[in-house]
Amino acid sequence: MNEQEKALQGMLEFCQWLIPNAKQLGLEKSKSVVAISQAKTQEDIINGVNSLYQELGEEQFTALTQAFQKSKSQAVPMNKKGGKISYLVNKLRNS
């Protein structure tokens, strides 16, 4: 797998994580998240992620990707009561 395929695979995994967690993250009304959930091609996904980056800004997008990496590294499902993820949710909601 070359670098481009790895990057695309990571983006797909991020989108698969983002869509079911959008409401919890306060992003359920985001046009970018809706576009990602309705994507039919790899190009649609890439455009949706780029749009989400522009919509959130670098700082919030980085926090979102870090939350994804943290949830990916933890073999345990996300804590439903919040825990560390609640900080990110509140930060994104208040911005």
Side-chain angles (χ1 to χ4, degrees), residues 21-70:
N21 291 298
K23 186 172 184 176
Q24 182 181 3
L25 296 166
L27 296 172
E28 70 274 10
K29 295 180 182 177
S30 166
K31 291 180 183 180
S32 302
V33 173
V34 171
I36 291 168
S37 69
Q38 297 173 348
K40 303 237 186 281
T41 65
Q42 292 177 359
E43 188 174 315
D44 292 343
I45 292 170
I46 293 168
N47 290 338
V49 172
N50 285 335
S51 175
L52 182 63
Y53 176 82
Q54 291 177 356
E55 183 180 324
L56 295 178
E58 183 177 354
E59 185 177 318
Q60 289 181 340
F61 187 82
T62 300
L64 188 61
T65 57
Q66 287 173 347
F68 163 67
Q69 289 297 331
K70 188 176 283 189

Side-chain angles (χ1 to χ4, degrees), residues 64-82:
L64 188 61
T65 57
Q66 287 173 347
F68 163 67
Q69 289 297 331
K70 188 176 283 189
S71 73
K72 186 177 168 184
S73 67
Q74 297 171 347
V76 190
M78 279 188 171
N79 183 352
K80 292 188 180 202
K81 292 183 180 178

